[in-house]
Amino acid sequence: MADEATRKAVSQIPLLKTHAGPRDRALWPQRLKEEYQALIRFVEQNKAADNDWFRLESNADGTRWTGTCWFIHELLRYEFRLEFDIPVTYPDTAPEVAVPELDGKTAKMYRGGKICLTEHFAPLWARNAPRFGLAHLMALGLGPWLAVEVPDLISKGLVVHKEQQREAAE
Amino acid sequence: MATVEELKLRVRELENELIKCKQKQCAMEDALHRPKIDKMSAEVVDSNPYSRLMALKRMGVVEDYEKIRTFTVAVVGVGGVGSVTAEMLTRCGIGKLLLFDYDKVELANMNRLFFQPHQAGLSKVEAAELTLRNINPDVLFETHNYNITTMENFTHFMDRISHGGLEEGSPVDLVLSCVDNFEARMAINTACNELGQIWMESGVSENAVSGHIQLIIPGETACFACAPPLVVAANIDEKTLKREGVCAASLPTTMGVVAGLLVQNVLKYLLKFGSVSYYLGYNAMQDFFPTMAMKANPQCNDRHCRRQQEEYNKKEAQRPKVEVVEVEEDVVHEDNEWGIELVSETTDADLQAASGTMPDLPEGITVAYTIPAAQDTTNGETVEETEQSLEDLMAQMRKL
């Protein structure tokens, strides 16, 4: 299960109320508003805790999300692009978050750069559907994944800090 | 001036083009394309590709084997299980195959059957069609290279399931789920519940040593959303199973076995012989094959499943009561010499925190996880009512 800090962060994210996926034309806009409300709150909380670590935005109908996430390791900031589609079965199933630029660098990833979550994630999501939203996905899915994978990738030299890379090239 | 990204993309396009050209040339060179066969013959001669299949009729196993040519099957996911499934159906002389997959062939797939190294880079559906057409030109193929779980593709997917049959406009006879993830299974489940489409689900566990097949008749048998995913207890201590540094393992053997079980069930279902399994598990560690049947859940989350149940119950009520032979699968094993037991996928702490009811399942089958019966009522804060419009919220998010 998630560590204490993650649990605490998750408990502060407001839960969502509307059970609607993107095929539900009438209720999806309401769900989307709730998603944004929860995400805004989560980012604000992260900032307040001096642990701001991602940004997300969607297309107009809220079916495709893109953004960036970053991870601080030994005082250096490593930034990655992230993307995912909202599956038709959302929110009963979680979206598959992808970090395309890390594709092929770690075994904890499916093709296309989709991150491989721990065995605990699916039961956790299923038990909390439909009240968990994208903010919860970030906190319980991507966050812990980055915390494990990025330091490992850096230690293996598979992820190099952009400035160091530039220096090496010069 | 083109950017590096654009040029990279162009190189990739050209590489793909080249692979396709090579593929076509190979196909032309080595194909002794046999002509299409109008009518299946039972004649036992070296040149008849259907003689051994038609022998099933003479032996009294199948009443009308030729009927196979009237059926259309959709295979969703053309990976380790789906590709072998499609090959078996092709060799059996199925009428039409619809193939759905968004993935490409990779060298990392070579521990599985069917695909060959020279196909790396091609889309799986395209590579599969080339090979399968060569094996049996009598089969009609329709391929779709996309992810069925996204909005647009899902609509198209539903349309092809309901209109992609042999006679254009008619529905397919059966949908086979050979996908490797929960989202895609749920998407197939959603589509089939809405359309009232009968389908079969298949799966191999991430540790590669168990698998299952399941027949789903919307409204009648449990759909994929009626209960948490049913899995075969692998009888491996979860604590000793190392998940560090890997996502999933796979074996050509387990996948081949599951594909075989799946297509066997398909043939029995379509050609009406033997008994069709509702749920058949395969535990490779102990060579144990648990079976069961599960009725649809009246409280299923999927409203179309509930609608199908109502329709089914109405139909059942109207049917004159013949003696109902209810096969209640209450399997009791006197001895348990292999020490097979239910193994929970979750930790003890998790179970205590949110122990859901364990459905009554036969030995050797369990659920991937449990869900508390009554969602622990809103403890935890929910989002507030807001006057802000969606656009306001989007703008606010962007400004953060």
Side-chain angles (χ1 to χ4, degrees), chain B residues 172-341:
Chain B
V172 304
D173 294 286
L174 198 58
V175 174
L176 304 181
S177 162
C178 302
V179 298
D180 63 357
N181 66 83
F182 183 64
E183 295 73 30
R185 284 190 176 92
M186 283 294 270
I188 296 168
N189 189 61
T190 303
C192 291
N193 277 337
E194 271 186 57
L195 299 168
Q197 172 67 54
I198 296 175
W199 64 291
M200 284 185 203
E201 137 72 6
S202 72
V204 174
S205 64
E206 293 211 326
N207 61 16
V209 286
S210 68
H212 70 272
I213 61 160
Q214 185 176 357
L215 168 66
I216 297 168
I217 306 171
E220 189 180 335
T221 68
C223 86
F224 199 70
C226 278
L230 297 166
V231 295
V232 176
N235 209 24
I236 296 179
D237 185 350
E238 284 292 316
K239 289 173 197 96
T240 66
L241 190 61
K242 294 191 177 70
R243 286 173 193 269
E244 293 302 306
V246 284
C247 277
S250 68
L251 277 170
T253 47
T254 312
M255 290 183 153
V257 168
V258 170
L261 294 175
L262 177 66
V263 179
Q264 197 79 291
N265 218 36
V266 171
L267 293 176
K268 290 197 288 183
Y269 170 79
L270 293 176
L271 298 175
K272 300 187 169 40
F273 65 97
S275 59
V276 179
S277 282
Y278 285 100
Y279 184 99
L280 171 59
Y282 169 46
N283 170 339
M285 299 298 260
Q286 276 81 27
D287 278 343
F288 180 55
F289 297 78
T291 60
M292 63 172 273
M294 198 186 220
K295 284 200 187 113
N297 174 6
Q299 271 97 48
C300 181
N301 249 334
D302 188 325
R303 69 188 165 92
H304 288 284
C305 173
R306 298 195 306 266
R307 173 176 62 82
Q308 296 286 357
Q309 289 182 48
E310 271 171 42
E311 284 171 25
Y312 172 73
N313 291 338
K314 247 185 254 165
K315 243 191 275 166
E316 280 300 282
Q318 280 165 1
R319 245 199 355 208
K321 278 274 170 287
V322 195
E323 198 187 328
V324 185
V325 189
E326 193 67 43
V327 188
E328 204 50 63
E329 296 271 341
D330 195 16
V331 190
V332 180
H333 293 262
E334 294 293 314
D335 50 354
N336 187 4
E337 55 183 300
W338 298 295
I340 294 157
E341 55 188 272

Side-chain angles (χ1 to χ4, degrees), chain B residues 72 160-167 169-173 197:
Chain B
T72 303
R160 292 321 296 155
I161 295 305
S162 48
H163 298 105
L166 251 187
E167 205 172 309
S170 63
V172 304
D173 294 286
Q197 172 67 54

Side-chain angles (χ1 to χ4, degrees), chain A residues 1 14-15 17 23 33 37 41 47 55 57 87-88 93 107-111 114 116 126-127, chain B residues 102-103 149 151 154 180 182 194 206 243 245 247 350 369-370 375 381-385 388 398 400:
Chain A
M1 255 313 288
L15 296 166
K17 292 187 284 200
R23 297 181 70 223
K33 270 171 74 168
Q37 281 177 278
R41 176 83 81 78
K47 281 183 160 183
R55 284 293 179 281
E57 59 180 304
V88 286
T93 66
K108 301 285 268 204
M109 207 165 227
Y110 299 107
R111 69 260 151 175
K114 287 174 180 169
C116 165
R127 287 186 185 128
Chain B
Y102 67 90
D103 216 357
T149 70
M151 281 287 284
F154 185 73
D180 63 357
F182 183 64
E194 271 186 57
E206 293 211 326
R243 286 173 193 269
C247 277
D350 275 345
Y369 45 81
T370 55
Q375 290 252 327
E381 183 201 353
T382 54
V383 285
E384 294 153 8
E385 298 297 327
Q388 284 177 290
R398 239 173 274 132
L400 278 173

